[in-house]
Amino acid sequence: MTTKAHPPTLAGRREWTALGVLMLPLLLVSMDVSVLYFAVPAISADLEPSATQQLWIFDIYGFVLAGLLMTMGSLGDRIGRRRLLLIGAAAFGAASLVAAYANSAETLIAARAVLGIGGATLMPSTMALVRTMFTDPAQRTKAIGVWSGVMTAGIALGSVMSGVLVEHFWWGSVFLVNLPAMVLLLVLGPVLLPESRNPRPGRFDRLSVPLSMAAVLPVIYGLKELASEGWNVRYVMSVTVGLLFAALFVQRQRTAVSPLVSPELFRRRGFTPAVVLNLAAAFGMMGSAYFTTQYLQSVLDKSPLEAALWSLLPSVPIGLAALVGAQLVQRGVPRAHVVGAGFAVAACGYVMLALAGTDSLWQLLAACGVLACGIVAVMSQVADLALSAAPVEKAGAASSLLETGTEFGGALSMAFLGSIGTAVYRHEIPASAPTAAHETLGGALAVADRTPGRAGDALATAAREAFTSGMNAAAITGAVLLAGAAVAAAVTLRQAQIQENAGRAEVVSPSGA
């Protein structure tokens, strides 16, 4: 005898309205990654931070966010995702107010750290609540598509908003814009958002918290510094130390009675491929951003605000790409095909980038648009797959693993593709150029500005051509890697789908057998 499964409850106007409310904190958290791009000069003039303090003002938010994602995802499963979301919103709003009126570099660094803590609570909580509110697979796929589009667009929007606000107001205004959204969330959240938690969470494993941070932070720091400063023993050691702590963290999760991240998640069909493919998608997205930002400003000689405004154009079709991917899956196209096609489209974007010259604005923008559309289609589908595979009571932990993978993928991309671009740049720059010109494009242009006449113009032209050659080489590498990811996605997700279908099949025994 077979047991009929009850059909999932369809989400109504209340749930879709709640989704709109959830998108506010998600948008602001993603914007805060890039919101200081144009505010740093004004902050430096006002607070006079040291060089080290300026770096921490910019980087502390991302480091704290990445280091606490797994902890906050697991904590939300235990105390309630809505409760953690509201606590995080209150902390985020309070820290935004302190940051806006900070009168010293130390105060601003501390406020940015608290913003990172709040962001770490908001990101996995929003995704876990989407998993809770939308139980119908088709509706959940569409909702996660919206989630992915908003998160990606927020990063691009943050830099533009920063430029506009700093130009018309003072630097603290970039933080004050967070307050209305957080107040709205605190007012409407208790009314619209359902509370959900793991009914049997077990004891919170405190030892896993420092282990997870010790695993994530040194790796993220080392990879980012390798991307910006080049190969250095100190940064390689940082990555190595992080990997050693990662091994200890994994061992702890296998042996703990109530682990922070349950190993059971990785035994779920499709979950592990989804996490790995999400990391690969983040690799593809951030690798292009590393080069295109410099290309717009230093090769095409755009001002920072002009560059940010131009970079908004590729973001326009992002939300549509996620929804198109969701519609294809709902109409019966296998997810493996949609994800594989998304990676293939993204690889085509890298091919277009590989063919760009030193005066290829529209080709660059088109390449970024194609790349972003493919990547967002991938990320929305693998996020849906991971959350569908994870049990509802562990949705927070599953969400945090996806977000942590995104951070790793972005940092790894900047380090790997950035090193390729730098190596080609240094090979292409004329040997007779000054030492500073061999380090970075910015250094070369600074030397060229101080060099009068044709010699300065020649150096600037050579440096721009060398940088573009490096970008082309990195783009070719990115295209090859994403093409490989397309094949891997088509194979692994097809196998996961076959296993899932086999697991769902029910054997009907004849009566009296």
Side-chain angles (χ1 to χ4, degrees):
M1 181 177 180
T2 60
T3 301
K4 292 183 179 179
H6 294 287
T9 304
L10 291 177
R13 182 179 300 176
R14 178 189 181 93
E15 285 77 15
W16 288 107
T17 304
L19 177 65
V21 174
L22 280 179
M23 293 305 99
L24 290 174
L26 176 65
L27 180 66
L28 292 174
V29 169
S30 58
M31 285 170 58
D32 261 43
V33 173
S34 56
V35 76
L36 290 187
Y37 280 175
F38 300 125
V40 166
I43 292 172
S44 298
D46 191 11
L47 302 184
E48 299 182 350
S50 66
T52 302
Q53 287 175 328
Q54 182 170 306
L55 288 175
W56 279 113
I57 288 171
F58 194 84
D59 289 336
I60 190 69
Y61 174 81
F63 288 151
V64 173
L65 176 70
L68 287 175
L69 280 170
M70 285 189 287
T71 297
M72 293 305 180
S74 179
L75 185 62
D77 289 340
R78 285 169 164 79
I79 70 171
R81 290 95 185 215
R82 184 183 68 182
R83 176 184 294 180
L84 185 64
L85 179 73
L86 296 179
I87 293 172
F92 201 87
S96 297
L97 188 62
V98 173
Y101 294 100
N103 57 7
S104 68
E106 293 83 359
T107 302
L108 184 56
I109 291 170
R112 287 278 288 171
V114 177
L115 282 170
I117 297 172
T121 69
L122 296 172
M123 294 188 78
S125 295
T126 55
M127 184 179 282
L129 284 168
V130 168
R131 171 71 173 88
T132 302
M133 293 189 300
F134 296 92
T135 57
D136 176 70
Q139 290 187 324
R140 183 173 61 245
T141 298
K142 186 180 296 184
I144 291 177
V146 173
W147 191 97
S148 300
V150 168
M151 183 185 69
T152 307
I155 298 174
L157 185 61
S159 59
V160 176
M161 187 190 70
S162 171
V164 172
L165 290 174
V166 171
E167 187 170 330
H168 293 89
F169 303 99
W170 96 110
W171 60 264
S173 60
V174 303
F175 297 108
L176 288 184
V177 294
N178 296 334
L179 296 180
M182 293 304 161
V183 170
L184 188 63
L185 176 60
L186 290 171
V187 171
L188 297 181
V191 178
L192 294 174
L193 299 175
E195 184 58 283
S196 62
R197 62 172 63 88
N198 186 344
R200 295 179 296 276
R203 189 174 181 179
F204 188 71
D205 185 30
R206 291 185 176 87
L207 180 59
S208 291
V209 174
L211 282 177
S212 68
M213 296 186 69
V216 173
L217 292 180
V219 175
I220 297 291
Y221 169 77
L223 290 175
K224 285 188 174 183
E225 291 302 314
L226 286 170
S228 60
E229 302 293 336
W231 290 99
N232 184 294
V233 174
R234 182 173 59 181
Y235 305 141
V236 174
M237 287 298 297
S238 177
V239 174
T240 303
V241 168
L243 293 177
L244 290 174
F245 275 107
L248 294 174
F249 176 76
V250 171
Q251 180 62 24
R252 177 67 183 179
Q253 305 317 294
R254 288 177 174 175
T255 57
V257 175
S258 180
L260 196 68
V261 177
S262 174
E264 177 195 349
L265 284 172
F266 294 94
R267 293 192 287 268
R268 295 270 176 161
R269 296 187 183 95
F271 183 82
T272 299
V275 172
V276 174
L277 293 172
N278 182 70
L279 188 152
F283 182 100
M285 179 67 82
M286 295 306 296
S288 67
Y290 177 82
F291 290 98
T292 54
T293 302
Q294 295 182 70
Y295 181 92
L296 287 170
Q297 294 186 58
S298 299
V299 177
L300 297 183
D301 200 25
K302 304 290 183 185
S303 70
L305 184 55
E306 284 179 320
L309 290 171
W310 279 114
S311 67
L312 271 184
L313 284 180
S315 304
V316 173
I318 284 178
L320 182 61
L323 294 178
V324 167
Q327 287 293 328
L328 289 174
V329 172
Q330 291 171 20
R331 293 185 179 183
V333 179
R335 195 191 302 270
H337 294 174
V338 174
V339 175
F343 274 121
V345 169
C348 291
Y350 264 123
V351 171
M352 295 169 64
L353 196 62
L355 299 175
T358 56
D359 188 19
S360 303
L361 173 62
W362 291 105
Q363 182 172 338
L364 178 93
L365 296 177
C368 291
V370 171
L371 174 64
C373 286
I375 291 297
V376 170
V378 169
M379 295 182 83
S380 62
Q381 287 304 307
V382 296
D384 184 35
L385 175 61
L387 291 180
S388 301
V392 176
E393 62 270 17
K394 291 182 171 61
S399 303
S400 67
L401 284 171
L402 282 173
E403 292 304 318
T404 303
T406 299
E407 297 292 332
F408 274 122
L412 182 62
S413 175
M414 288 188 288
F416 182 67
L417 296 183
S419 65
I420 292 175
T422 300
V424 173
Y425 170 83
R426 290 174 178 171
H427 180 266
E428 294 289 331
I429 199 76
S432 59
T435 302
H438 282 268
E439 294 300 318
T440 63
L441 173 59
L445 294 179
V447 172
D449 286 340
R450 297 193 299 267
T451 305
R454 294 182 179 178
D457 294 339
L459 176 59
T461 299
R464 290 185 173 110
E465 290 176 349
F467 176 85
T468 303
S469 297
M471 181 181 73
N472 298 154
I476 292 172
T477 305
V480 171
L481 293 175
L482 291 186
V487 175
V491 173
T492 58
L493 296 187
R494 181 174 179 272
Q495 292 175 343
Q497 185 64 54
I498 292 173
Q499 293 174 352
E500 184 178 356
N501 293 339
R504 289 177 177 174
E506 295 179 332
V507 178
V508 181
S509 300
S511 178

